[in-house]
Amino acid sequence: MSQDAIPDESPRNLPEQLLLQDAVAGNSKGIQGGVNNMLGDAPRLVAIYGGYPEHWYKMTSIQSFMIDGASVQVHWFRNSQTQENVEYKFKRQYPKIAPKNL
């Protein structure tokens, strides 16, 4: 596992930029973290950004947009005590296509 900070991913286009702004504005929810559902990345986050492992949560945007054929959400980590948000990335999920019978 890398012990380095992961740089924020920049939006590729206007819809991704709007999605990021919406998420940062508070339209988000925690999907993992805290005492009962500890993040695997918690030790790395503590080493880089400080705090305690149980304070770190993985967050996701509530909204998702269809952009260039992919469902796109924003993911990042938040310290629940300081409200620090770090390591934004865009999660792009493309629909699975069944293989063609030959």
Side-chain angles (χ1 to χ4, degrees):
M1 175 171 66
S2 171
Q3 292 298 323
D4 296 331
I6 299 170
D8 291 340
E9 184 180 346
S10 297
R12 293 180 181 172
N13 49 46
L14 181 58
E16 286 186 358
Q17 185 177 8
L18 295 172
L19 183 61
L20 177 60
Q21 288 174 353
D22 186 59
V24 171
N27 292 317
S28 60
K29 65 181 180 179
I31 55 176
Q32 185 180 358
V35 175
N36 296 321
N37 196 10
M38 196 73 64
L39 284 175
D41 274 325
R44 181 182 67 80
L45 294 166
V46 168
I48 296 168
Y49 304 107
Y52 294 95
E54 62 271 17
H55 294 164
W56 285 99
Y57 286 79
K58 185 169 187 176
M59 304 295 294
T60 185
S61 56
I62 293 173
Q63 298 274 349
S64 65
F65 290 165
M66 286 302 291
I67 303 170
D68 296 329
S71 174
V72 181
Q73 288 184 303
V74 183
H75 287 191
W76 68 96
F77 297 107
R78 173 179 289 159
N79 182 306
S80 64
Q81 297 301 301
T82 65
Q83 299 304 305
E84 180 180 15
N85 295 316
V86 297
E87 303 185 8
Y88 288 94
K89 70 177 182 178
F90 291 88
K91 174 129 175 132
R92 298 170 184 91
Q93 292 185 303
Y94 292 89
K96 294 186 182 355
I97 299 172
K100 294 181 180 179
N101 292 335
L102 298 176

